[in-house]
Amino acid sequence: MPASGPFISRVPPVLAFVGQYLPLLPLQPVLGACLHGIQKRHPQIFDRLGTHATKRFGLDPTDLPFVFVLEPARVNPKVVAVRSMPQQIDVRVTGTIAALIGLVDGSCDGDALFFSRDIKVEGDMEAAVALRNAIDEAGIDIVAESIAWLGPLSPIAAQFLRGVIGSPPGQQQSGLAAEGRPWN
């Protein structure tokens, strides 16, 4: 698993600016479909959370003009996008959208992201660790899950979406590393 590095992708500022003025309502059914698909394909994730399945998790992408609130209840899990973080959150995870996705899909080392301060975790650390462990065990590709409902258009949408959000930290390489030459 790659560690974090100095090359953290960010959503292009023009898209973040435009996102400030777009309504979040059209995003809600997509988020619901994504969570429903995860629940259907990875039901063990909610069981693995144990008592923490009743907690509220705030996911705060620093390069987007909205946040996500996740309530991973076993029976009726919910995720919504809102403009600002509600006060009643048990855990808040902050970082770029690429870092948060890298954390979820396992392409980044969560500990490296945390200690390099690419992500910041506040609140109930036990719940945060339980969520991370549940996600790690499930092996979720959040980009693929979020567009699975598009059927045959999914590969095109995945390429576009990954282009917009960028690569998770540690996935981009500097010039020498990309050429296959050692840096030292």
Side-chain angles (χ1 to χ4, degrees):
M1 206 178 312
S4 177
F7 302 101
I8 300 172
S9 295
R10 295 189 164 293
V11 169
V14 69
L15 292 178
F17 177 77
V18 169
Q20 293 178 22
Y21 301 101
L22 294 177
L24 295 178
L25 187 60
L27 185 56
Q28 307 308 339
V30 173
L31 293 172
C34 177
L35 189 59
H36 177 72
I38 290 171
Q39 183 182 25
K40 185 178 175 183
R41 288 183 284 280
H42 308 279
Q44 73 283 7
I45 192 170
F46 299 100
D47 294 333
R48 172 95 191 221
L49 284 170
T51 60
H52 303 293
T54 60
K55 304 285 174 94
R56 293 181 78 206
F57 298 84
L59 307 172
D60 186 359
T62 57
D63 51 347
L64 291 178
F66 51 87
V67 299
F68 302 99
V69 177
L70 171 65
E71 297 177 21
R74 288 184 180 107
V75 177
N76 189 21
K78 295 176 186 160
V79 63
V80 295
V82 294
R83 290 288 174 194
S84 61
M85 190 68 69
Q87 293 294 319
Q88 295 78 25
I89 292 293
D90 297 295
V91 178
R92 179 180 181 154
V93 182
T94 305
T96 65
I97 191 69
L100 295 174
I101 289 173
L103 182 66
V104 170
D105 69 15
S107 62
C108 293
D109 182 331
D111 292 333
L113 288 172
F114 179 78
F115 288 114
S116 66
R117 299 188 181 167
D118 289 329
I119 63 165
K120 185 167 113 178
V121 181
E122 301 172 79
D124 185 341
M125 295 304 276
E126 187 177 338
V129 170
L131 181 63
R132 177 185 169 209
N133 289 341
I135 290 171
D136 282 350
E137 185 176 287
I140 295 172
D141 179 346
I142 197 68
V143 171
E145 293 285 352
S146 66
I147 57 165
W149 58 275
L150 290 173
L153 296 176
S154 293
I156 296 166
Q159 185 175 12
F160 172 76
L161 189 56
R162 290 184 200 278
V164 169
I165 61 174
S167 300
Q171 295 239 319
Q172 296 175 334
Q173 296 179 335
S174 65
L176 292 176
E179 293 172 15
R181 296 185 316 195
W183 63 274
N184 55 358

